Amino acid sequence: MIDVYVIGTGCTPFGKHADRSFSDLAQWAYTDAVEDAGLSMTDTSMIEQAWFGNCGMGPGGQGGIRGQVCFTPMVQAGLFPERVPMVNVEGGCATASLAFHGAWKDILSGQCQVSLALGVEKLISPDRPERTAEIFGTGIDQLEPQRWQDYYRRAGEVAGKAFVMAPGRTVYMDTYAMQAAWHMKTYGTTQRQIAVGAAKNHHHGSLNPKAQYQFELTVEEVLADREISWPLTRAMCSPLGDGAAAAILCSEAALANFSQEARSRAVKVRTIELSGGKYRALDEPGLSRIAANKAYARTGLNPQDIDLIELHDATSFCEIYQLEMLRLCPLGQGGRFVESGETALGGRLPVNMSGGLVSKGHPVGATGLSMVHEMCLQLRQEAGPRQVSSASLGLIENGGGVLGFDEAACAVTILEKNK
């Protein structure tokens, strides 16, 4: 298979950027990625294709040609080359990973030597707060909502946590909470184990200057925070925020056109594997298990070969669950694994050095590429106080949209330090 490299990444700080437009945030991440690749703006003519990920511009009034609209000011200012084709991508919280997958396949196919992936999101709307709910509403079936409502009501009886729709509640956090309740009932997982993972990631986030939350929380403070949906407290759930992230990918042949410094910092893409969701039973493996199995098979790697993880912890229960689905610990042992400290900085398998979604933040259309950015920092040994020593193989799991207890789409990516 053709070797593909990430030659540059960029990521804005995540948080509330009310004074910046979608286009402003996109330009910020893009220009950071260009600089990271060691390019000048005149060198960007080598970019042959672009993939643009976003979920929220539609409810904001721009339903189509989102990337083209966002990049028009950059084209006019000479920051982005003219006539570059751009594909718009949407896949819920997995949107940016799907854009990354598209750019990767550009290179694999031989159609392009250099391709760009970018994701941008604005979830905060001070002048129109209802827009946030509209954005999240696009991630679940709105054509036949009775299908998932009936599914969750039946599943609630099995999980031991009833599904209730009411004002002020969010379906997404409630369904995560139902899965957590079932896991607790089935395997003896505890609320405290979930809180340990949350506190750990808030510590990692305190070391990340681009994280939305840069403060530490003790396990007791996590447990004492406001309840969102038992057993989940606010500190166990990802916040709303804005941001953008980008990556420039190239072929091995194109790598020779970059500076020696850029070449030495290039990160190899071992694989990106996708899977689709379905309405599964609570005791049935989720779609990330399918994507992970494909990734291990494609690369010839085993779970034990992985040095560090960035995974999709929209809630801190997700870390427990996804470690099991990715075959990084035995089924039912995720809570104990996290509680043991093995997933903390300095542990055997560090998870979410960025702070994860619960601390770094989760502007949904940008999240997957922010994970790529963090992983590249780690593999280049450029992550500062949160650096994992001697990391050479990193795995990223990113899911988006909702089909029952599955996401609608999942991407598992394996990146490798360039040797």
Side-chain angles (χ1 to χ4, degrees):
M1 191 164 67
I2 295 172
D3 286 335
V4 180
Y5 295 87
V6 180
I7 194 69
T9 66
C11 187
T12 71
F14 284 179
K16 298 180 179 180
H17 294 293
D19 59 333
R20 294 180 182 266
S21 67
F22 284 101
S23 187
D24 292 337
L25 291 170
Q27 180 172 325
W28 190 351
Y30 165 69
T31 54
D32 277 3
V34 170
E35 181 180 356
D36 189 55
L39 299 174
S40 68
M41 286 305 162
T42 57
D43 296 326
T44 59
S45 59
M46 67 174 63
I47 297 174
E48 301 170 83
Q49 173 83 20
W51 295 75
F52 182 88
N54 172 262
C55 298
M57 290 177 70
Q62 188 64 51
I65 61 168
R66 303 178 188 192
Q68 289 85 347
V69 168
C70 271
F71 269 73
T72 290
M74 288 183 259
V75 173
Q76 292 176 335
L79 301 176
F80 189 75
E82 297 180 350
R83 306 298 189 188
V84 171
M86 184 169 289
V87 180
N88 292 286
V89 179
E90 186 282 311
C93 304
T95 291
S97 288
L98 298 183
F100 188 69
H101 182 264
W104 175 66
K105 287 179 70 175
D106 279 343
I107 313 300
L108 285 183
S109 70
Q111 289 289 315
C112 296
Q113 298 299 307
V114 181
S115 188
L116 169 73
L118 186 142
V120 61
E121 204 66 79
K122 284 181 65 66
L123 296 178
I124 306 297
S125 297
D127 57 339
R128 194 183 155 211
E130 69 276 8
R131 178 179 155 273
T132 302
E134 291 176 19
I135 295 170
F136 281 99
T138 65
I140 197 166
D141 185 354
Q142 299 294 346
L143 299 180
E144 295 188 48
Q146 198 62 45
R147 175 183 288 128
W148 52 263
Q149 291 172 20
D150 291 344
Y151 171 90
Y152 290 138
R153 289 190 182 100
R154 292 192 301 269
E157 298 176 3
V158 178
K161 178 180 172 65
F163 175 70
V164 179
M165 295 187 67
R169 302 194 69 83
T170 162
V171 171
Y172 303 100
M173 294 301 105
D174 282 342
T175 58
Y176 281 126
M178 290 169 68
Q179 292 180 76
W182 180 85
H183 205 273
M184 294 166 76
K185 183 174 98 169
T186 305
Y187 298 114
T189 303
T190 67
Q191 187 185 35
R192 184 175 184 83
Q193 289 169 344
I194 302 172
V196 167
K200 178 262 297 183
N201 285 338
H202 281 286
H203 170 64
H204 294 168
S206 74
L207 305 175
N208 182 359
K210 295 192 174 183
Q212 183 165 346
Y213 290 163
Q214 296 180 36
F215 52 81
E216 298 203 47
L217 291 172
T218 66
V219 173
E220 288 69 28
E221 287 171 330
V222 172
L223 289 168
D225 201 3
R226 177 168 60 88
E227 183 177 286
I228 298 299
S229 182
W230 186 90
L232 304 176
T233 66
R234 180 177 56 178
M236 301 173 184
C237 301
S238 58
L240 299 176
D242 309 329
I248 299 172
L249 292 81
C250 72
S251 67
E252 187 170 22
L255 195 61
N257 298 322
F258 291 84
S259 69
Q260 174 58 42
E261 181 183 1
R263 293 198 302 271
S264 70
R265 297 171 64 248
V267 172
K268 183 183 289 189
V269 183
R270 291 293 299 269
T271 195
I272 311 169
E273 301 297 331
L274 306 182
S275 60
K278 70 169 190 174
Y279 285 84
R280 62 173 175 84
L282 275 163
D283 60 355
E284 184 179 358
L287 75 168
S288 56
R289 169 64 64 86
I290 308 304
N293 283 345
K294 290 165 67 176
Y296 297 137
R298 178 87 66 181
T299 58
L301 296 169
N302 294 310
Q304 294 76 24
D305 297 320
I306 303 300
D307 297 314
L308 74 161
I309 307 290
E310 282 288 312
L311 58 73
H312 192 97
D313 62 333
T315 75
S316 295
F317 167 70
C318 298
E319 179 168 332
I320 291 171
Y321 177 75
Q322 294 299 349
L323 286 169
E324 297 174 7
M325 290 301 101
L326 299 170
R327 293 168 44 202
L328 298 167
C329 71
L331 194 64
Q333 297 296 311
R336 296 173 182 84
F337 189 57
V338 170
E339 190 175 31
S340 72
E342 295 280 35
T343 65
L345 181 62
R348 179 168 62 85
L349 185 66
V351 174
N352 287 356
M353 292 298 98
S354 64
L357 280 56
V358 299
S359 183
K360 176 189 63 182
H362 183 28
V364 292
T367 293
L369 279 161
S370 75
M371 293 171 157
V372 171
H373 174 72
E374 175 67 24
M375 193 63 73
C376 287
L377 289 178
Q378 291 285 345
L379 295 176
R380 295 167 175 166
Q381 300 289 300
E382 296 173 357
R386 65 186 189 282
Q387 180 65 55
V388 175
S389 61
S390 304
S392 61
L393 279 169
L395 183 147
I396 301 167
E397 178 272 327
N398 180 211
V402 174
L403 287 178
F405 291 122
D406 262 353
E407 292 84 5
C410 178
V412 169
T413 302
I414 298 178
L415 301 180
E416 184 176 25
K417 180 179 179 179
N418 195 18
K419 299 174 181 177

